[in-house]
Each structure stands twice: as structure tokens, then as C-alpha cells.
Amino acid sequence: MTPENAVSGKSFAKTYFPSTRLAVSGLFLLNGTFAGAWAPKIPEFASRLDLSESGLGLMIMCFGIGSLVLMPIAGILIAHFGTTRTVKGATILFLTTMLLLSIAPTIPVGAVAIFFFGGLMGAMDVSMNGNAVEVEKSMRRAIMSSCHAFWSLGAFIGASTGGFLIETMGVMGHALLLTGLGIVALVVIWPFVLHDAPHPSEERQKVRLPMTLLPWLIGIMALFSMVPEGAILDWGALYMRDELGASLALSGFAFGAFSLTMAVMRFAGDHVRDRFGAVKTLRFCTVMAIIGMVIAGQAPNAYVAMVGFALCGIGISNMVPIAFSAAGNLPGFAQGVALSVATVMGYSGSLFAPSVIGFIAEHTGFAIIFTLLPVLFIVVLLLSRHAIHADVREHH
């Protein structure tokens, strides 16, 4: 009895948690931690460079431009070298950027630092999403939602520890600790990343953008799912503090509540998707996100807003992973092409929209913006049937 049980336990681990899955999950966690750690650094970065609100908005745009420049380049590198070598190269370079952001003494240097921070985060993102699609194919089961859960968990860890660490260790101490831990994590992960061949069939297709509508429609789904996510990330705390009278500590929980429910739901997401299919899952999530966002926008106080943001986290949690899986599995398209269209469109939403929202909110306030953002989710609902492609693995 016992040896058999031991064997079945071993095969369970091998079936559900092969080292390749753990490795790509680790990359998502690492990327998310650095993204989250940036949020508490923003006030110090702005005061060191003497930036106004609109100046900071323009800096956030440099972050976005970096992503839009380097993400497609990552797509081309995946075609030539495969996801493995691309993700490893991007990660090594990305780990240096936190130090660069922490020492930037002038606005031009700050702009360059934030350009590469955004760009290399994006390049790492495209290639680790590509690697996750390869792992999904090798395992014949959905893992994308749980990979994104590790990203959310990393963002939660980075955001919730950052302020405390900056206070106790200083800006450079925080950056050095983060970079050191990042390097150690990468050394551990390195040998286990799924090795995939280059995608030579994609090289010719890679350079030109797809001419048919479907990848762009899935890109719109990703974009409209991620604009509200970016809005909560960058402006949720400000809305809670300025318009709902929350304390500084409490206002930080706008993103905290959102990240936490998002991470929990993403860990459940693959199982739910395998059980109910991507289309039903996406529709349920989108309706939850609409309800949560309207509650947050109409909240009479900070606690009700937190509930709204938490519900929104449940909703948005699996919208983006489903869109990415659908793009990565589109029949008749090179994986890198459709996936980079969806990732670039999606991330450009979460990168550029916040600066636009900041400019609008100066005149309207945030309550009305959070109340109107669900219009974007309604568009996702109308396009939701295209999520069927996320389930394509079942038919191999």
C-alpha cells in the first residue's frame, strides 16, 4: 500500500507541479514583486526629481513607451531564440533597473531609468507569458491564471513591504536588498525553465502585424480588462485619501484589497476554467468586475470602496489570463505574433490610461471615473465568445 501511495503522490507532483511550471511561476512572482515595490518608491522618486503631478504623469508615460518599444522586440527574439533564452536575458537586465531608479539624480537620467524599467519589465512579461503557454501545451492543462496569481502575489508582497523597508533601510538599502534577492531567486530558477526551441516558422510572420481581425479583438479584450486595473493601481489610494477621507495607511489598502482577492481567485482560476470553460468563466468575472467598480465609484466611505475594489479584483483576476491564453492558442497564427499583439495592447492600456485618467480626474474627480470605467467591461462581455480559443488545448 505505502509504496504505491508514495508513487502516486510523486506522480501527482510531477503531473500538476513539474519543475518547469514552478520555474515559470517563480519568474511571474519575481516580476510582480519588482512591479509592486515600485509603487511605494514613487513619492520619493517624484520628490528627488522635483516632479509635479503632470510631470509624474509624463514619467509614467516613459514607463509605457519603454514597454511598447521593447515588448515587440521580445516577440522577435522569441521567434529567433525561443522563450527560454529571451526570458533569461530580459530578467538579468531587468534586475538591474531598480538600482538605476534609486540613484537617478536628474530628470533625463530618471526618464531613461524608468524607460528601461518599463521596457524590460514588459520584455520579461511577454517572454514569460510565452513560456507559460509552452508549459501549458507540455502539460495539456491551464496554468496561465495561477502564473498571473503569482504575479499578483508578488505585487502584493512588493507593495506591502516596500514602504516599511524604505523607512527602515533607506531607498538604496531597499533597492539593494530587492536586487540581491532577485539575483538569488533567478539563480535557483535558471536550470528549471522549460527549454523550448526557437519558433522559426514565426520569423517570417513575425515582422508584419496580423491582417485579420481576431488577434486585435482579443487585444481589445485584454486592453479593456487592464485599463481599470491600471486605474486602481495608480489612483485607487489617492481616490480613497482625497475623496473619501481615508488615512494614508488605509488608502494603501485600495490596491491591497484588490491584489489579494485577485491573487486568491487567480490560484482558483485554472481549475474553474478547466471545469466551466473559458467563455463562461470570463462572463462571470466580467459581471463581478462591473459590480465591484460601480460600488467603488459610488462608495460613501473608504470601507465600502475597499469592498468594491476587492470585488473588482475577483472579477479582473481571470479576464487577462484568459485573453492571453486565447491569443497564444489562436489557430492559424504564430504564437508569438498573436500573443504580442494581445500583450502590447493590454499593457499599453494599463500603462498609458492612468496618465490620461490623472489629467481628466483633475477636472472631474475620481468617483465619476471609477463609476464609468465599467463601460469598458461591457465591451469585453460583448466580445466574450472569442475566449473559446483559450480552451483549444482540450482538442489537441
Side-chain angles (χ1 to χ4, degrees):
M1 273 303 279
T2 329
E4 273 174 27
N5 288 352
V7 168
S8 68
K10 229 179 196 170
S11 63
F12 171 83
K14 271 210 166 123
T15 308
Y16 289 94
F17 301 104
S19 55
T20 51
R21 178 180 185 173
L22 297 177
V24 78
S25 300
L27 291 171
F28 274 85
L29 183 74
L30 191 58
N31 190 285
T33 304
F34 271 65
W38 162 237
K41 284 179 84 73
I42 293 174
E44 185 278 329
F45 179 79
S47 65
R48 177 171 13 119
L49 300 182
D50 202 21
L51 296 168
S52 65
E53 255 100 25
S54 45
L56 186 59
L58 290 171
M59 276 289 187
I60 290 173
M61 282 191 81
C62 285
F63 181 99
I65 293 163
S67 289
L68 290 190
V69 171
L70 295 189
M71 277 174 140
I73 293 173
I76 292 166
L77 291 173
I78 289 169
H80 283 275
F81 303 110
T83 62
T84 318
R85 287 161 76 181
T86 309
V87 81
K88 285 177 173 178
T91 307
I92 291 169
L93 293 172
F94 176 57
L95 290 177
T96 64
T97 54
M98 193 58 81
L99 290 170
L100 205 60
L101 282 169
S102 303
I103 57 176
T106 61
I107 288 179
V109 178
V112 170
I114 206 167
F115 174 90
F116 281 109
F117 180 62
L120 291 164
M121 185 189 288
M124 183 181 169
D125 218 304
V126 171
S127 45
M128 70 191 186
N129 274 296
N131 194 259
V133 170
E134 294 293 331
V135 175
E136 279 192 327
K137 286 176 182 168
S138 74
M139 289 178 65
R140 302 252 175 116
R141 65 178 67 246
I143 69 154
M144 189 65 89
S145 292
S146 71
C147 284
H148 284 252
F150 278 104
W151 191 93
S152 297
L153 190 64
F156 179 69
I157 293 166
S160 55
T161 60
F164 169 73
L165 289 171
I166 289 168
E167 270 181 19
T168 48
M169 304 176 69
V171 171
M172 271 317 286
H174 172 240
L176 285 164
L177 176 71
L178 207 61
T179 307
L181 290 174
I183 291 166
V184 171
L186 184 60
V187 168
V188 173
I189 291 165
W190 189 274
F192 301 107
V193 179
L194 176 78
H195 189 74
D196 65 327
H199 301 225
S201 60
E202 293 178 26
E203 283 184 36
R204 287 183 302 282
Q205 296 167 279
K206 196 71 215 172
V207 189
R208 63 169 208 271
L209 292 167
M211 292 298 147
T212 52
L213 205 53
L214 196 54
W216 299 100
L217 288 176
I218 290 175
I220 288 170
M221 283 165 62
L223 171 69
F224 284 1
S225 300
M226 289 182 81
V227 167
E229 184 179 347
I232 296 169
L233 189 87
D234 288 332
W235 302 115
L238 210 65
Y239 164 60
M240 298 246 299
R241 197 185 66 200
D242 292 356
E243 293 179 34
L244 300 176
S247 68
L248 194 65
L250 186 64
S251 59
F253 284 105
F255 181 53
F258 175 77
S259 297
L260 200 59
T261 56
M262 193 177 221
V264 170
M265 285 307 293
R266 282 181 164 174
F267 280 117
D270 298 313
H271 180 68
V272 172
R273 257 172 72 189
D274 284 341
R275 175 87 176 73
F276 296 105
V279 177
K280 274 186 189 163
T281 307
L282 180 67
R283 284 174 181 164
F284 169 78
C285 283
T286 309
V287 171
M288 286 296 284
I290 291 170
I291 294 167
M293 202 58 121
V294 172
I295 289 172
Q298 293 296 306
N301 59 51
Y303 294 100
V304 176
M306 270 168 59
V307 172
F309 287 134
L311 285 174
C312 216
I314 292 172
I316 295 176
S317 60
N318 292 307
M319 291 167 69
V320 180
I322 287 172
F324 286 171
S325 275
N329 288 303
L330 274 186
F333 288 94
Q335 181 219 318
V337 177
L339 188 61
S340 59
V341 166
T343 44
V344 168
M345 284 181 73
Y347 284 100
S348 66
S350 65
L351 298 166
F352 287 107
S355 42
V356 177
I357 287 169
F359 291 123
I360 297 170
E362 278 181 28
H363 306 290
T364 64
F366 288 108
I368 185 76
I369 288 175
F370 284 125
T371 307
L372 290 176
L373 278 172
V375 171
L376 301 181
F377 293 141
I378 292 167
V379 177
V380 176
L381 216 46
L382 295 174
L383 293 172
S384 60
R385 64 192 175 89
H386 297 301
I388 188 75
H389 297 292
D391 293 332
V392 82
R393 275 177 317 282
E394 313 309 319
H395 311 302
H396 280 345

